[in-house]
Amino acid sequence: MGSDTFPTLESLHFPEQLSISQTLSSLRRSALSVANRLQSIETDATFAQEVSDHYGLPLIANERCGSWYIPPTAKAGSAYFKSTDGHTVMPDALSKTVPIWSAVLNRALFPSATAYHPVRLPPNYLGASEEAQIENRIEGFVHSLKVRMHNINVTCANYCTTPPHPGKMADTTQSLKLDLDNLRRQLGKPIQIAWANRTYFHPEGLHKGDEYNLLVLCSASRRVHGAEMSEGGYIQGAGDDSEAWAYGLTPPVFWANQAILKNTPEDELPELIDRLVAEHKLLDVAQDATLISPTRNLYIGSGTGVDAGGRYDLVIDCNGSAAAVEGNAKRLNLGCDSGKLGSRDLRKCLDKVRDFIGARLGTDSSLSVLVTCENGKDLSAGTLLAIVCLFYNDEGGFDASLSKRTIGKQFIRQRLAWLVSSKHDVNPSRATLQSVNAFLMQPPDY
């Protein structure tokens, strides 16, 4: 038998072998499936409802992720306290930011209620040194709130840093124009903090009382100590970063279609979600827009159907095709994409917004203006933020001459408070705010 009848080593094909790390990565992706995320969200939502029932309190979502864990029918409102990445059991918004925020408000609004002045922090959670650092900064934050300093939306990094140099502080101070007397009347009594997570409930004796407003900070997810593969499909913080896994699915669409989503194979979910989201947009046409106070003519809404009745004199649609309204003097479509791409698109479109609003309201400042985007929280909020910064005075009146004024970050924060106070789930992304800041703080074009 000749040697040419035997295959050479080079001619043999061996199937590719996966490395251990590749195998583990594949298993982890499987564990982090959309189906597992949605099931985990349901589990965590059940716990959040148990906490609500235990204390007899309504459920408030800490946007954006909080809305995944509360069915829309049970959601009483929204707040927005940002957490940094990498927390394990409890987001630092709940362990640090809100306690700081509450202590500052208690001292500023209720100076005689000294029992509520100390910072209430989670038991056995922070070290003594860190707790002391926080407590030592509170009085400075109170002074800043009551006098001139910038906002008190403190992140966990703020209280560890060295205070700004007095000379620099003067450059950044500007009143937030907060009506503390009105806030005191609305709140009525100090805030009392409690916590709830899967391993800890506050002592039974703490419930709603006549002498304080009880605020329970609930971390709904169970802590996963190992990899998700060992948890039988449970995912800690399953609702986080939904842009990366949800295929456009939103909390309202999820809660309205739990059963069909749960019974659909994983590989069919993207197509199903796309259809459900499209159907939801069609059903959402009757949603009312929200007036941005103290203006009397600026409104924010979501979707293209919010102006179905033609109730608004002018409409800016951040996501709508520009070609679709070409030649229509009452409409401006910006054609922005979704997500971060849309935020970058917005930066290129804000000059059109400035020209549109300046020309139309410059002729008749009483015209009503609706600004809308696909969710009514991000791009539309950024567009309205630019409008109120450019054209509106402190009383909420239109003044075209203001568009030439110099604008800084503190002024932008002040105007952003108008939007958040008017529509509590407004949540412009960091990328959107960066686009608005870059546009507004460029040198005026005289």
Side-chain angles (χ1 to χ4, degrees):
M1 184 179 294
S3 60
D4 58 348
T5 63
F6 292 98
T8 63
L9 183 61
E10 290 78 7
S11 68
L12 293 176
H13 175 71
F14 294 97
E16 182 181 353
Q17 298 295 314
L18 293 177
S19 68
I20 293 178
S21 64
Q22 289 173 318
T23 302
L24 291 176
S25 295
S26 177
L27 290 172
R28 187 171 187 273
R29 284 194 299 271
S30 177
L32 292 174
S33 66
V34 175
N36 283 351
R37 286 186 180 275
L38 298 183
Q39 181 58 52
S40 301
I41 287 171
E42 288 188 30
T43 300
D44 293 345
T46 299
F47 174 73
Q49 187 60 57
E50 290 173 357
V51 174
S52 173
D53 295 341
H54 174 80
Y55 287 102
L57 294 172
L59 285 166
I60 306 294
N62 185 24
E63 304 289 357
R64 292 175 296 171
C65 298
S67 286
W68 284 103
Y69 305 103
I70 306 176
T73 54
K75 181 178 172 181
S78 297
Y80 184 66
F81 291 96
K82 180 174 174 54
S83 287
T84 55
D85 295 331
H87 56 80
T88 53
V89 180
M90 186 182 300
D92 46 40
L94 305 187
S95 64
K96 303 173 187 178
T97 306
V98 176
I100 292 171
W101 174 83
S102 300
V104 170
L105 286 181
N106 284 344
R107 294 190 194 192
L109 301 180
F110 306 100
S112 62
T114 55
Y116 301 96
H117 288 185
V119 186
R120 292 182 59 86
L121 296 166
N124 306 315
Y125 190 74
L126 304 179
S129 175
E130 190 173 14
E131 290 190 359
Q133 289 183 65
I134 294 173
E135 184 65 45
N136 290 338
R137 298 298 297 272
I138 298 302
E139 202 54 43
F141 294 143
V142 175
H143 176 75
S144 299
L145 172 67
K146 293 169 68 174
V147 187
R148 295 172 63 86
M149 267 290 286
H150 44 79
N151 66 38
I152 60 168
N153 186 15
V154 186
T155 66
C156 62
N158 290 138
Y159 60 79
C160 298
T161 59
T162 303
H165 187 277
K168 187 173 182 180
M169 185 183 294
D171 295 335
T172 59
T173 56
Q174 181 176 351
S175 172
L176 285 177
K177 306 186 187 302
L178 297 176
D179 187 344
L180 296 185
D181 290 334
N182 183 52
L183 185 56
R184 183 182 299 110
R185 286 191 296 270
Q186 290 187 52
L187 196 56
K189 47 195 175 183
I191 300 169
Q192 176 76 293
I193 296 287
W195 289 268
N197 59 35
R198 295 300 188 90
T199 59
Y200 174 82
F201 258 82
H202 204 278
E204 291 291 330
L206 189 61
H207 284 279
K208 289 188 295 185
D210 295 332
E211 68 277 12
Y212 56 76
N213 292 295
L214 181 59
L215 181 60
V216 179
L217 306 177
C218 176
S219 182
S221 288
R222 171 168 59 84
R223 183 178 182 183
V224 172
H225 293 277
E228 291 83 358
M229 294 176 291
S230 64
E231 294 291 327
Y234 178 79
I235 300 170
Q236 177 182 339
D240 292 355
D241 301 319
S242 58
E243 296 90 347
W245 61 264
Y247 298 104
L249 185 67
T250 61
V253 179
F254 161 62
W255 286 108
N257 298 278
Q258 281 177 275
I260 187 172
L261 287 165
K262 184 181 296 186
N263 294 317
T264 300
E266 182 76 18
D267 60 350
E268 297 177 16
L269 280 175
E271 182 178 352
L272 172 65
I273 289 171
D274 190 56
R275 176 170 62 81
L276 294 176
V277 169
E279 291 174 354
H280 181 79
K281 288 179 179 178
L282 291 175
L283 294 173
D284 204 31
V285 296
Q287 179 179 333
D288 290 332
T290 301
L291 174 68
I292 302 301
S293 297
T295 80
R296 294 168 291 280
N297 66 330
L298 297 182
Y299 296 83
I300 187 170
S302 63
T304 58
V306 68
D307 189 44
R311 291 176 291 173
Y312 304 94
D313 299 312
L314 304 172
V315 178
I316 299 176
D317 185 345
C318 297
N319 300 111
S321 168
V325 295
E326 189 173 352
N328 187 338
K330 294 185 177 182
R331 298 188 68 100
L332 174 66
N333 285 5
L334 303 182
C336 296
D337 206 333
S338 300
K340 291 183 179 180
L341 292 177
S343 298
R344 288 195 288 269
D345 291 340
L346 182 65
R347 169 67 180 87
K348 305 170 186 176
C349 297
L350 288 176
D351 57 339
K352 299 177 184 176
V353 173
R354 178 187 56 202
D355 295 344
F356 180 78
I357 294 297
R360 303 301 185 275
L361 294 190
T363 302
D364 183 355
S365 62
S366 69
L367 295 175
S368 59
V369 181
L370 169 68
V371 182
T372 181
C373 67
E374 59 187 359
N375 59 22
K377 301 176 183 180
D378 186 10
L379 298 182
S380 54
T383 302
L384 275 166
L385 178 58
I387 292 171
V388 296
C389 286
L390 286 169
F391 295 110
Y392 281 76
N393 59 31
D394 292 344
E395 289 72 41
F398 177 86
D399 184 344
S401 67
L402 297 176
S403 63
K404 298 298 184 181
R405 61 186 165 191
T406 300
I407 296 174
K409 285 186 178 180
Q410 180 56 24
F411 180 79
I412 297 172
R413 291 191 191 102
Q414 185 185 107
R415 289 296 191 258
L416 179 59
W418 290 10
L419 276 74
V420 176
S421 298
S422 302
K423 190 173 188 289
H424 300 314
D425 61 349
V426 159
N427 182 28
S429 66
R430 180 184 298 273
T432 294
L433 291 176
Q434 288 174 338
S435 291
V436 174
N437 287 353
F439 176 79
L440 292 176
M441 293 192 295
Q442 62 187 344
D445 183 16
Y446 291 103

